[in-house]
Amino acid sequence: MINWQFFPKSEKITDKLLETVKVFKSYQKQIDSDKIQKAKMLDSNSILAIVKDGLEEIGYQVENGKSKQDAVAVPVLYGLNGKPEKQFFADAYHRHDEIVLEVEAAAAVINNLVLKDLFEACVMDNVKYCVIAVRNVNKTTNGQKDFETVLRFIDTIYTSQKLKLPLSGILIIGY
């Protein structure tokens, strides 16, 4: 089952972000971490490859591989003559709607990749929304519920109000 939660909870999700959720739902049978056996769990690159066409259909630029020419670079800092001096690489980026999307798998929670994704989205230029897709159930870590863990983390950020994020919203998708 594909689950999702948009933050802040006091705001309505955008149409483009809902389209993004629909893309993941359209591939549910292929990527559902609840149904896939432990030995056949897909890594994040495999998940991204499955949803790639659907994301491109709704306007995302999606990485084609791990080489620099296949990556989706999003500027962070600009140097001399306005040339990008620092950039981070995203799994997908929707330039018009200013959405960065990251797909994570086994290491989303145990290696804190969600924190890295969130930090990078916060400092990227022309990014208003961050989408992070994680497994509902991580069978490679004894059935840890990654989606629920990430939701509690993001909810804590918004509820405590101690950390002000420069984003208009965060969408967490559980696959």
Side-chain angles (χ1 to χ4, degrees), residues 34-52:
D34 290 320
K35 305 252 188 282
I36 297 173
Q37 297 173 1
K38 180 179 178 179
K40 296 182 181 180
M41 293 298 285
L42 301 171
D43 64 19
S44 60
N45 290 333
S46 298
I47 298 292
L48 185 61
I50 291 168
V51 299
K52 180 181 186 293

Side-chain angles (χ1 to χ4, degrees), residues 126-159:
N126 296 316
V127 170
K128 289 183 180 175
Y129 297 97
C130 176
V131 178
I132 304 173
V134 299
R135 292 175 176 168
N136 282 315
V137 177
N138 193 345
K139 294 177 182 170
T140 59
T141 57
N142 297 322
Q144 179 176 314
K145 297 184 183 306
D146 283 2
F147 177 73
E148 290 177 16
T149 301
V150 172
L151 288 189
R152 281 192 306 274
F153 174 77
I154 302 298
D155 199 31
T156 299
I157 291 173
Y158 279 97
T159 303

Side-chain angles (χ1 to χ4, degrees), residues 12-29:
K12 185 178 178 192
I13 191 171
T14 70
D15 291 339
K16 186 57 67 180
L17 290 173
L18 272 178
E19 285 181 51
T20 305
V21 171
K22 287 178 186 176
V23 167
F24 279 82
K25 284 184 175 184
S26 70
Y27 296 99
Q28 179 174 323
K29 288 183 181 179

Side-chain angles (χ1 to χ4, degrees), residues 110-124:
I110 61 171
N111 286 350
N112 295 312
L113 288 183
V114 170
L115 292 174
K116 176 185 170 287
D117 295 339
L118 182 58
F119 166 76
E120 289 182 357
C122 286
V123 298
M124 288 175 173

Side-chain angles (χ1 to χ4, degrees), residues 20 23-24 27 48 51-62 92 94 101 103:
T20 305
V23 167
F24 279 82
Y27 296 99
L48 185 61
V51 299
K52 180 181 186 293
D53 290 342
L55 292 172
E56 288 178 338
E57 285 176 21
I58 63 169
Y60 281 89
Q61 178 186 0
V62 182
H94 196 288
L101 182 144
V103 176

